[in-house]
Amino acid sequence: MSLYSVESIGRVAADGHVAFPGAFGENLTLEGIEMGSLAAGDRLAIGDGLVIELTKHAQPCQTIAHWFKRRRIARISAKVHPEDARWYARVIQEGLVRTGDAVKVQRA
């Protein structure tokens, strides 16, 4: 599962790239969570019972390069812009998620 945030999408778009929920392949778009504050092992409790654990940053790839000016995918690289990097996560506990559900961060 890949995660991204509305805040990161806004910053990437403000830099002139094409950015919108789902553009970079994320399965879940979050709001109110700063991606740069997260770490591998952190867990997110979302909606009705879903618990996911962050595993590693998702490296940008050429599949999404067409959304970036001059194909500069490093704009969402954890090495260059950790605040705007995507995360991979694994499901710890299944649950139902709806638009607007609260997200609670449980630090590793």
Side-chain angles (χ1 to χ4, degrees):
M1 167 182 289
S2 177
L3 309 172
Y4 208 44
S5 76
V6 170
E7 293 81 4
S8 292
I9 291 168
R11 287 189 293 266
V12 172
D15 284 349
H17 305 284
V18 177
F20 55 88
F24 306 140
E26 71 272 16
N27 305 101
L28 191 58
T29 306
L30 307 173
E31 186 172 16
I33 303 294
E34 283 298 332
M35 304 307 277
S37 72
L38 300 172
D42 285 353
R43 290 185 175 192
L44 306 179
I46 307 170
D48 188 16
L50 177 67
V51 178
I52 57 177
E53 183 177 81
L54 302 179
T55 56
K56 64 180 181 176
H57 281 112
Q59 296 302 317
C61 63
Q62 291 302 315
T63 303
I64 60 172
H66 61 282
W67 298 121
F68 295 89
K69 293 186 313 187
R70 295 180 297 284
R71 301 180 65 84
R72 295 200 174 159
I73 60 176
R75 178 57 186 83
I76 62 169
S77 166
K79 292 179 182 177
V80 180
H81 291 279
E83 71 281 6
D84 293 328
R86 298 167 299 159
W87 278 96
Y88 284 133
R90 64 181 173 176
V91 175
I92 301 299
Q93 178 179 308
E94 293 181 9
L96 184 62
V97 176
R98 295 179 183 90
T99 300
D101 280 348
V103 178
K104 297 177 185 168
V105 179
Q106 303 164 352
R107 301 289 175 192

